[in-house]
């Protein structure tokens, strides 16, 4: 697209160049290297470092504007385990900490910034858990069909789950509930929970939507839970704390535990793209003028790829190419994290929060298309068109020469007839 312009962190740079009719690309970056001193003029004209430079940290940004529409989606790759819980207390309650735990009806509780990101106690939400399990049963029935044996097995499973969740009806610290939950998980899930504890907080706007996570994504309704990794845990009171400032936990909020799982991540990617295609189809049926997709970029974090998908390289790009068969370009790169809205632009008009946030383990999909259905440039198609044009021109030239030769032959024959 053009030259990349770099700038020190304390100064900013702006660069503009045309990349096709009606579209402008703007790039800028920041870095901690302050040895290169550049000054912008009063008109913010474009400039660049005269010599190539290497920077140890900083960022590079690209902004697109003009006749372009960008859709984004994010896959979390986290599988829900256990039931759905409600937060009944926030903040820590450790002796000598000076911080009191906030409970419903306790208006005098002192809560600092760190305690706002801390879950002190949770209790099982039986209604939400039953609704969630019903969604999974409906998904299984629609996928495999049911018979009496499967019905009996599911009834036994529900009875076992009811017995397991009996103790969860008592409010307890989340760390204690996580330790209890691990006993019922597979060896792989237990190993993951011992390394990292993931908790998802329910997002607003879930009323009237499908409770099951995969079914929600397949319908284009967006994610139900925002999954975050616990930053620290209180060994004395069993509380868990998210990264400070990342979220304000409220009493009454729903939450549940998650683990990273490759098979679930595959289903999530497919469900996410199924929902995207359904939203695209619904826009078409509503009479909206939807332009064809012209390009797609995939940005997975370093813990995904073949590490997550059972050694299969290129799984996500393969799924994208299946759902977007006419797209000539699918590219991207691995990153330490992705920035973006969890539901991107495909979740409709969200009732709850859909703010930009940093996702430490996720994949971001960016889809490009024209707003006005302008045909896009394809190098391969351009070569084909050029070859066809050259062949047509050569054929026309050959036909012209053949016609001229025929005319010359007829003229010679006419002259010879009149001469004789």
């Amino acid at each position: 697209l053009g030259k990349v312009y770099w700038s020190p962190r304390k100064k900013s740079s702006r660069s503009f160049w045309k990349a096709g009719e009606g579209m402008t690309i703007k790039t800028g970056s920041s870095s901690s290297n302050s040895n290169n001193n550049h000054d912008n003029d009063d008109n913010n004209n474009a400039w660049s470092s005269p010599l190539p430079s290497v920077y140890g940290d900083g960022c590079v940004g690209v902004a697109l504007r003009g006749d372009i529409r960008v859709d984004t989606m994010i896959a979390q790759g986290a599988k829900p385990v256990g039931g759905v819980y409600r937060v009944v207390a926030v903040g820590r309650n450790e002796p000598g900490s000076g911080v009191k735990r906030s409970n419903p009806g306790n208006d005098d509780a002192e809560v600092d910034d760190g305690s706002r990101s801390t879950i002190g106690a949770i209790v099982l939400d039986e209604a939400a858990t039953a609704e969630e399990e019903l969604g999974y049963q409906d998904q299984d029935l629609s996928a495999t069909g049911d018979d009496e044996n499967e019905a009996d097995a599911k009834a036994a499973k529900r009875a076992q789950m009811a017995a397991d969740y009996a103790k969860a009806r008592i409010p307890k610290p989340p760390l204690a509930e996580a330790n209890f939950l691990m006993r019922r998980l597979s060896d792989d899930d237990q190993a993951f929970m011992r390394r990292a504890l993931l908790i998802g907080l329910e997002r607003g706007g879930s009323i009237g939507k499908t409770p099951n996570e995969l079914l929600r994504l397949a319908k284009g309704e967006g994610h139900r839970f925002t999954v975050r990794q616990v930053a620290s845990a209180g060994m004395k009171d069993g509380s868990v704390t998210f990264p400070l400032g990342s979220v304000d936990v409220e009493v009454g909020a729903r939450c549940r535990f998650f683990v990273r799982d490759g098979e679930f991540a595959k289903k999530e990617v497919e469900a996410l793209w199924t929902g995207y295609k359904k939203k695209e189809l619904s826009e078409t049926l509503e009479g909206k003028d939807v332009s064809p997709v012209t390009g797609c970029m995939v940005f997975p974090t370093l813990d995904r790829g073949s590490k997550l998908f059972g050694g299969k390289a290129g799984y996500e790009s393969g799924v994208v190419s299946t759902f977007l068969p006419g797209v000539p370009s699918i590219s991207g790169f691995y990153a330490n994290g992705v920035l973006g809205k969890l539901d991107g632009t495909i979740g409709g008009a969200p009732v709850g929060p859909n703010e930009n946030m940093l996702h430490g383990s996720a994949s971001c999909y960016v889809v490009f298309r024209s707003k006005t259905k302008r045909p896009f440039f394809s190098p391969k198609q351009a070569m084909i068109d050029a070859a066809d044009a050259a062949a047509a021109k050569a054929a026309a030239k050959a036909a012209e020469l053949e016609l001229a030769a025929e005319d010359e032959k007829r003229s010679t024959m006419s002259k010879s007839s009149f001469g004789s």
Side-chain angles (χ1 to χ4, degrees):
L1 296 176
K3 187 175 181 180
V4 178
Y5 289 81
W6 298 82
S7 69
R9 176 177 295 172
K10 295 183 179 180
K11 298 198 179 279
S12 62
S13 66
R14 293 181 176 87
S15 167
F16 301 88
W17 68 85
K18 292 292 182 181
E21 180 182 358
M23 184 171 71
T24 304
I25 294 183
K26 170 186 175 181
T27 68
S29 67
S30 64
S31 172
S32 61
N33 189 340
S34 59
N35 295 330
N36 298 331
N37 295 320
H38 301 280
D39 292 323
N40 292 341
D41 57 19
D42 296 335
N43 297 324
N44 291 327
N45 291 332
W47 57 265
S48 65
S49 176
L51 297 175
S53 303
V54 177
Y55 297 90
D57 63 352
C59 65
V60 178
V62 179
L64 307 177
R65 68 178 183 181
D67 183 19
I68 184 172
R69 170 182 163 182
V70 181
D71 292 325
T72 60
M73 298 178 290
I74 288 181
Q76 299 185 106
K79 178 182 70 174
V81 293
V84 180
Y85 301 85
R86 279 197 179 274
V87 177
V88 295
V90 298
R92 294 183 175 179
N93 193 21
E94 297 182 1
S97 64
V99 179
K100 296 180 181 179
R101 179 173 293 172
S102 175
N103 299 286
N106 185 7
D107 297 332
D108 298 330
E110 300 175 3
V111 183
D112 62 3
D113 292 338
S115 294
R116 293 192 183 96
S117 302
T118 300
I119 300 177
I122 58 176
V123 65
L124 181 70
D125 190 325
E126 297 184 50
T129 301
E131 186 181 21
E132 177 78 10
E133 294 300 328
L134 181 61
Y136 274 109
Q137 292 168 18
D138 292 341
Q139 183 183 13
D140 293 339
L141 288 173
S142 62
T144 62
D146 197 11
D147 54 24
E148 294 183 359
N149 293 331
E150 291 180 352
D152 293 340
K154 289 177 181 178
K157 182 179 179 182
R158 286 194 298 269
Q160 180 63 38
M161 290 184 64
D164 291 339
Y165 287 140
K167 295 182 179 180
R169 296 187 181 97
I170 304 172
K172 63 179 66 175
L175 200 59
E177 183 63 25
N179 289 328
F180 172 76
L181 175 64
M182 277 197 299
R183 304 173 192 170
R184 301 190 296 108
L185 301 181
S186 65
D187 293 341
D188 292 339
D189 292 344
Q190 288 186 36
F192 179 86
M193 286 193 72
R194 289 190 179 96
R195 295 194 306 268
L197 184 60
L198 303 180
I199 297 180
L201 292 175
E202 188 179 45
R203 309 166 67 237
S206 295
I207 298 177
K209 293 185 177 181
T210 308
N212 181 274
E213 188 79 7
L214 293 178
L215 293 179
R216 281 173 62 101
L217 294 176
K219 291 182 178 181
E221 296 177 352
H223 296 272
R224 181 181 180 185
F225 292 89
T226 302
V227 181
R228 294 180 173 88
Q229 182 170 340
V230 171
S232 62
M235 295 296 102
K236 295 181 179 179
D237 65 350
S239 62
V240 294
T241 303
F242 298 108
L244 299 183
S246 62
V247 61
D248 288 340
V249 182
E250 298 180 357
V251 173
R254 285 174 175 165
C255 65
R256 71 183 313 180
F257 297 98
F258 287 80
V259 295
R260 301 285 177 205
D261 180 76
E263 291 301 321
F264 184 88
K266 290 180 180 180
K267 296 178 182 179
E268 182 191 24
V269 172
E270 295 175 359
L272 195 65
W273 279 100
T274 300
Y276 175 78
K277 297 299 290 185
K278 285 186 177 180
K279 297 288 286 188
E280 189 179 59
L281 179 61
S282 65
E283 289 183 3
T284 304
L285 296 177
E286 291 172 2
K288 297 181 180 179
D289 196 11
V290 180
S291 302
V293 176
T294 58
C296 180
M297 300 193 74
V298 182
F299 302 107
T301 52
L302 293 171
D303 60 340
R304 291 176 69 92
S306 58
K307 298 178 182 178
L308 182 65
F309 298 112
K312 186 175 181 179
Y315 175 80
E316 291 182 275
S317 58
V319 172
V320 175
S321 62
T322 300
F323 282 89
L324 303 176
V327 176
S329 175
I330 299 175
S331 58
F333 51 83
Y334 286 94
N336 282 320
V338 294
L339 286 168
K341 298 179 179 179
L342 182 57
D343 284 344
T345 59
I346 68 161
V351 180
N354 191 30
E355 70 280 357
N356 284 305
M357 59 177 292
L358 175 63
H359 304 268
S361 177
S363 284
C364 180
Y365 310 103
V366 185
V367 181
F368 301 94
R369 70 179 77 213
S370 170
K371 292 180 181 178
T372 60
K373 279 193 172 181
R374 186 177 58 183
F376 59 92
F377 175 77
S378 171
K380 181 179 179 180
Q381 188 62 40
M383 293 177 61
I384 295 174
D385 294 342
D388 293 342
K393 184 177 180 180
K397 184 67 173 177
E400 183 180 352
L401 292 176
E402 184 179 356
L403 183 59
E406 185 68 23
D407 290 343
E408 181 66 22
K409 181 179 180 181
R410 290 180 180 178
S411 177
T412 302
M413 292 177 61
S414 298
K415 290 180 181 179
S416 105
S417 296
F418 284 117
S420 61

